[in-house]
Amino acid sequence: MRIGIIGAGMIGSTLAKLWADAGHEILISTRHPDELQSLVEELGPPASAGTPEEAAKFGETVLLTVPLKAVPALANDLEPLLRGKVVLDTGNAYEQRDGDIAREASRNPGGSAAWAAALYPQSKWVKAFNSVYYKTLASEAHRPTDPVGIPLASDSQEALDVASRLVRDAGFEPVVVGDLGRGKEFEPGTPVYNTGMRASALRRAFAKRAPASSRSEPPRAAP
């Protein structure tokens, strides 16, 4: 798969390596792609660097991993390029970093992912990889037993299927929580956030919080 990564911080760089190792083509991006050459050399031939616009055009699937305060400004350029694409959103609202944007996103009934998705209404949005520390991603990938769980939430079954595949390719176990609004259940301040929980423990934790109407028919994940 061609994966465009918008943002080259700790999460973006770590997932770029895990996905490149799994054989995916990677274009990782910032506003200053010339600063990414050492990372691209480390990732090897499946990887290249570019601008956010180039990553959005390149990716069949796109990982958006930037501070929440940057999301509205990026939407001006990227929204048309991401229409119809699956977007994995790693964002979290941190008031000390994101200021008024964090407060606005936190007031959204569906949490920060639903707030961000509304800026890209024609994309297939999935909240993913926001709840696990990057060092845990780097050290715990491909555990032979009881893998670390990655919670996922989306209103699109296609997005859940694609995200589930990429979670497994990175070396973890997808835990499909439900629709995009349930993404607020694994944001900062929730019991499962930044715990590095195994998938089995995560499923138990989310099952206790699931709305009664969703307990009998959990969302389907990709095989």
Side-chain angles (χ1 to χ4, degrees), residues 114-190:
W115 171 87
L119 300 172
Y120 301 80
Q122 297 186 53
S123 299
K124 299 163 187 174
W125 212 261
V126 53
K127 191 172 186 72
F129 290 108
N130 71 296
S131 63
V132 180
Y133 189 41
Y134 79 93
K135 288 186 177 180
T136 302
L137 294 176
S139 65
E140 296 294 308
H142 301 289
R143 284 174 53 91
T145 58
D146 203 11
V148 169
I150 303 296
L152 304 173
S154 180
D155 296 332
S156 164
Q157 186 61 55
E158 179 185 351
L160 289 172
D161 290 347
V162 170
S164 293
R165 173 190 170 186
L166 291 178
V167 166
R168 291 190 176 98
D169 287 352
F172 308 99
E173 180 68 20
V175 177
V176 176
V177 180
D179 62 31
L180 191 61
R182 292 196 66 194
K184 61 189 176 185
E185 296 178 26
F186 48 98
E187 291 182 340
T190 61

Side-chain angles (χ1 to χ4, degrees), residues 43-219:
L43 296 176
S48 58
T51 65
E53 291 82 0
E54 288 171 331
K57 292 176 184 177
F58 171 86
E60 298 168 87
T61 296
V62 172
L63 179 77
L64 182 65
T65 178
V66 298
L68 202 69
K69 62 184 178 182
V71 173
L74 282 171
N76 294 328
D77 297 323
L78 300 186
E79 189 277 330
L81 303 176
L82 295 177
R83 290 175 185 172
K85 294 190 177 185
V86 172
V87 178
L88 280 62
D89 172 16
T90 75
N92 288 311
Y94 297 112
E95 189 170 332
Q96 66 273 28
R97 179 193 67 189
D98 302 309
D100 290 342
I101 291 290
R103 289 185 284 274
E104 178 184 338
S106 297
R107 287 194 296 268
N108 189 294
S112 63
W115 171 87
L119 300 172
Y120 301 80
Q122 297 186 53
S123 299
K124 299 163 187 174
W125 212 261
V126 53
K127 191 172 186 72
F129 290 108
N130 71 296
S131 63
V132 180
Y133 189 41
Y134 79 93
K135 288 186 177 180
T136 302
L137 294 176
S139 65
E140 296 294 308
H142 301 289
R143 284 174 53 91
T145 58
D146 203 11
V148 169
I150 303 296
L152 304 173
S154 180
D155 296 332
S156 164
Q157 186 61 55
E158 179 185 351
L160 289 172
D161 290 347
V162 170
S164 293
R165 173 190 170 186
L166 291 178
V167 166
R168 291 190 176 98
D169 287 352
F172 308 99
E173 180 68 20
V175 177
V176 176
V177 180
D179 62 31
L180 191 61
R182 292 196 66 194
K184 61 189 176 185
E185 296 178 26
F186 48 98
E187 291 182 340
T190 61
V192 302
Y193 179 74
N194 200 24
T195 60
M197 276 190 187
R198 306 300 179 234
S200 54
L202 271 180
R203 289 194 177 96
R204 289 193 296 271
F206 287 122
K208 293 177 182 178
R209 299 172 61 88
S213 60
S214 67
R215 289 175 186 161
S216 59
E217 297 184 7

